[in-house]
Amino acid sequence: MSSNGGAPYRSDEPTSFELQPPQPNLPPVVPHPDNPYATPAPPAAPSAPTPDPGTGRLIAGRYRLLAKLGHGGMGTVWRAKDETVDREVAVKEPRVPDHLPERERANAYERMRREARAAARLDHPAVVNVHDVAVVDGRPWIVMELVQGRSLGDALQEGTLGARDAARIGLEVLGALEAAHAAGILHRDVKPDNVMLGRHDRVVLTDFGIAQIEGETNLTDTGGFVGSPEYIAPERVLGQRPGPASDLWSLGVVLYAATEGVSPFRRSNTPATLQSVLNATPALPAAAQGPLAEAINGLLQKDPARRPDAARTRALLEQAANPPVQAATQVVRIPESVKRGIVLGPKALLGIGAAVVAGAVGAYLVVADPFAGPLPDHWKVREEKVLGASLAVPDGYKRGVPDETDDGHWVTYTDESGAIWIGLRLDKKAEDTGNSIADSAAAEMYDDNSDFKEGTAYDLNMAEGARTKPEGETTYQGKSAAENTVAYTTTDSQNPRPREMRIFYYKTSAGNMYKLTVNYPGKGDFTDRGREVAQTAVDNLKIDDL
């Protein structure tokens, strides 16, 4: 292993040699630094963007470079146009530090050629398609399909995946690995940043840059370590001959990270990470249960002979991705009177307190109603006696800790990812000395609606100009209720994020006002999940005193 010239090890450092990143005249934040295959989001409204050096260059007489997409351990990836067939492609430009010896430079170029050969040999929808290798001044430029989407690593920055989504993605990656192994190819760098989430639910395994092709000579760099430490199998750390089980270990770590939010072996530096790969026993996954947990635990066996093979892994992941019909459909057994759902409004969040809301920029709970049918697996009913209501919460969700702003009238539950949160608040008529409770649920909703547009409702870092969709009066168990949906952007100047919030209002016959709020990402892979959670929360809310 390389000492990097005396510099401290980092778990995210380039794995075969140190690559100096490109220095374009653009804002310093690169949207997709670790996954060059994804099309990044537009930069935050630069006043006069300067084209990247090299933009407009024609490669091999047909590939016009349009813009840089990002960079990785082997080079810089450009969005380009194939002018021969008039389509956009991704082109990987080899970038090798000038200070490297000629032998290591040659190894780097040969590794890129092997990446192209490895991917081109595979005919599978979950493997990135390689169109061409253009040699310019002795350097290979890889031309491949442009996958519109983002990496699993980027998606996990917003929160974890549910068991079914993780299993579905795992099945696609497993299919790509099975195709590679059948062709005598080991990927050797399976990690979230190399798993693309494309359009139409497509999952693509990318970056065969360090793949080992059966029958070809091994490439090594002097003192170099090839691979991403926290995803490398123990036998590779020990210098033993890897096999398909080594890639399956990496898949197990990816599935663990997808459901738990972090690799179980990540440490502060590379040596410590490798030691944990060899010796640490990861905690059992909390979010993954049943067949998915069995698959993860099996794939993370230190002894490759004890890991399940691809066929057994596929069977477990299929069970997790397609649970029995009863478990998959039970949450939609709801009465017509509550199908439209329940959400919470601005004033309700004020009672939650800034510290709780800020610390929970995402958590979710789902609420139980006796008419909604049996709860999904791994959920628990939480009775909130002070609020006179019951909530159904997935296992592992944390109840908010009250602070000095707590008046005993609110509760929140937050998952560890922080992507989605749910709050329930009760304003009692007997304590409403300022007559702030409106005459009806719909009137309360419209009062809050104007505050949302001004960005003054709740301490949610909500910018002005939120878009609202008041549904007006609806019903809850046959009685009047109201709801609203609010789309807004956070005020974080460094990283403003789109958020969405559903709010349900219900006023009891005693004049008490309930508000159920579900807050989740406004764009990305977790938006649909957040909306599903919001609907389920509404459908399963139980208020004791109607």
Side-chain angles (χ1 to χ4, degrees), residues 5-81:
Y9 284 92
R10 295 176 50 209
S11 62
D12 59 350
E13 65 185 349
T15 54
S16 56
F17 53 81
E18 184 154 0
L19 177 67
Q20 299 298 323
Q23 302 294 329
N25 295 321
L26 286 176
V29 177
V30 179
H32 298 274
D34 296 317
N35 182 49
Y37 300 89
T39 303
S47 56
T50 304
D52 295 302
T55 299
R57 181 181 176 188
L58 190 65
I59 302 300
R62 64 183 292 183
Y63 305 111
R64 183 77 63 184
L65 304 184
L66 302 178
K68 288 181 180 177
L69 296 179
H71 64 277
M74 295 296 294
T76 298
V77 175
W78 293 79
R79 181 172 62 88
K81 182 177 182 180

Side-chain angles (χ1 to χ4, degrees), residues 185-217:
I185 299 169
L186 299 180
H187 188 281
R188 301 203 301 169
D189 199 17
V190 179
K191 59 183 180 181
D193 287 331
N194 286 341
V195 177
M196 280 296 302
L197 307 179
R199 295 177 176 175
H200 311 298
D201 292 330
R202 186 182 176 202
V203 178
V204 182
L205 180 62
T206 66
D207 206 344
F208 283 75
I210 64 172
Q212 179 177 327
I213 304 176
E214 187 175 14
E216 293 194 355
T217 305

